[in-house]
Amino acid sequence: MAGTGSRGRVERRSAGALESEVLATLWATDRPLTPAEIQAEIDGGLAYNTVHTILKRLFDKGLVLRDADGRRGAYRPAKNAAELTAEAMHEALDRGPDPIAALQQFVTGLSPEEERALRELLAGGGA
Amino acid sequence: MRFDVYTSLLLSLLLSFVAPVIVGRVAPALAARVLTSAAVVTAAATTWSLVLLVAALLGDAPPVVREAREDGHRLVDPVPEVIGVAAGVALAVVVWRVHRAVHAERCTRRALRRLCAGQPADTELIVAASDVPQAFAIPGRPGRILVTSAMLSALEPGERRVLLAHERAHLAHRHGPLVTAATLAAAANPLLAPVRSAVVFLVERWADEQAAAAVGDRRATARALARAALTAGRARSACALNFTDRAVTRRIAALQASPPPHLWSAAAAVLTLGMLPALLAADATGDLLGLLSGVLT
């Protein structure tokens, strides 16, 4: 565990990880994005060609749509499979406390004063 | 001769007191590993001790006693009948609790596998189009990361990378099986429940440290956690449960400090504490075998 606080020591990301990052970027944005826009959004110094290759792979898997909303060369995520996944997820979460507890969620609940402290942290750092 | 079962229970309690002290003072990867190992060995030892107590009770069973008297053996009764019966009841409860825990684990696995159905084979990230901010790792081959669209759009680009790195660390370091092991240990020995809680918290801390190393920025990692917690908190306020174990706040505070050291001495102490009940159980097994062979031959 090399937990140094120094900036810039960024891991070399694998192809799978880059794919995840591009897909996450598309999902996080409301409108379709061109490869150049994605490249600008991901501040990891990715080459344009790399972004293009990743997008092609995602397209081949049916995870993204091309020329979305009449914008040539722009991509947006495919919704159908994701909606089915959401349904299955809610079904699993509704079934009871056991699955939820075991899902290892990224974050858990907050008290009001904790919430205040976290807001201050985000405001203080210039979000 | 005596059966040292009670000392094992005391040692379980001691391990449960030590666990929260270790959290935060020892590097989470090391602490999670040694606490889980100690808990598993301790739980196995206390369960085996119950088996011994019940076996000693069987040694009092009329046919054995009659046979022993006929052979002219003097009977030494190491375990009062009341305690033997109580151990039998406790053993039944343990078996039921472990069975229930295994069942819950299976259900979770099945539910998670269902979430991966229909996904392309070599894709790491699964997005769920949901308004509920959620993110979790799905262990398996390959391991997957499920994040909802609500969580992705709430985070900034750098924060999304932290989230992915955190979940990736859960998968790469097999945190799922580690937590399962601690859960089963706590099911077999309820005194170890605090150790399980410690391990659950420690794997999150471990993944945080890995994420911080991957993005090369502890502060950015802390901010990603804060934003995710605020997003998830807002969505969940409708539940009005207001329950919180301050886990996120503690994780953020830990990221704002320097990473805890690999305190090998503390790790060795925890492991020793975990091994002692096993030694006692082995000793008691020898005693019982000696007794039974003395009676039966």
Side-chain angles (χ1 to χ4, degrees), chain B:
Chain B
M1 90 162 268
R2 68 204 168 88
F3 283 155
D4 221 336
V5 175
Y6 318 104
T7 313
S8 293
L9 293 180
L10 272 179
L11 288 169
S12 313
L13 270 180
L14 194 55
L15 188 59
S16 286
F17 279 116
V18 166
V21 181
I22 294 291
V23 173
R25 286 186 175 77
V26 179
L30 180 63
R33 285 193 181 115
V34 294
L35 279 176
T36 306
S37 313
V40 167
V41 174
T42 300
T46 50
T47 306
W48 179 243
S49 300
L50 289 178
V51 172
L52 290 182
L53 286 175
V54 175
L57 184 66
L58 291 183
D60 287 346
V64 178
V65 172
R66 198 171 51 239
E67 205 176 305
R69 288 209 177 111
E70 281 166 7
D71 292 355
H73 284 291
R74 215 164 56 85
L75 274 180
V76 198
D77 192 1
V79 181
E81 196 165 313
V82 177
I83 292 188
V85 171
V89 173
L91 191 59
V93 171
V94 164
V95 169
W96 174 71
R97 282 174 56 95
V98 171
H99 175 262
R100 205 182 47 170
V102 169
H103 178 74
E105 288 289 328
R106 285 229 179 100
C107 284
T108 306
R109 275 258 183 98
R110 214 174 302 134
L112 290 178
R113 255 204 310 275
R114 220 171 289 135
L115 292 180
C116 300
Q119 298 291 334
D122 55 343
T123 301
E124 178 192 51
L125 176 67
I126 299 177
V127 180
S130 166
D131 297 335
V132 183
Q134 270 281 4
F136 49 84
I138 303 180
R141 282 180 205 161
R144 318 258 198 172
I145 299 168
L146 193 146
V147 189
T148 62
S149 48
M151 179 64 95
L152 287 176
S153 32
L155 300 179
E156 318 233 326
E159 297 166 350
R160 289 198 292 271
R161 198 181 306 152
V162 170
L163 168 67
L164 291 174
H166 172 103
E167 302 301 345
R168 208 169 281 140
H170 279 323
L171 298 173
H173 297 280
R174 304 176 55 75
H175 290 168
L178 200 67
V179 170
T180 301
T183 302
L184 292 181
N189 181 343
L191 294 175
L192 296 174
V195 181
R196 181 195 173 269
S197 310
V199 171
V200 167
F201 177 75
L202 281 168
V203 296
E204 295 304 325
R205 279 279 304 121
W206 182 348
D208 288 345
E209 290 292 342
Q210 292 282 313
V215 302
D217 190 344
R218 297 176 72 78
R219 279 182 55 85
T221 308
R223 294 162 56 80
L225 274 186
R227 178 129 26 226
L230 284 172
T231 312
R234 202 171 307 132
R236 235 167 274 165
S237 59
C239 306
L241 268 175
N242 247 341
F243 167 77
T244 162
D245 49 4
R246 301 194 167 270
V248 184
T249 319
R250 282 160 61 209
R251 282 163 60 194
I252 291 171
L255 282 168
Q256 287 169 324
S258 45
H262 283 81
L263 271 185
W264 293 103
S265 52
V270 169
L271 276 184
T272 310
L273 192 54
M275 296 309 142
L276 281 178
L279 291 178
L280 291 172
D283 189 37
T285 309
D287 287 351
L288 181 71
L289 286 179
L291 172 81
L292 285 183
S293 63
V295 170
L296 292 175
T297 55

Side-chain angles (χ1 to χ4, degrees), chain A residues 3-4 21 23-24 26-27 49 58 60 72 77 87 102 107 114 116:
Chain A
T4 57
E21 215 168 304
L23 188 59
L26 285 172
W27 272 100
N49 278 347
L58 288 171
D60 289 342
R72 254 192 83 68
E87 251 172 61
V107 288
E114 282 177 290
R116 217 169 17 250

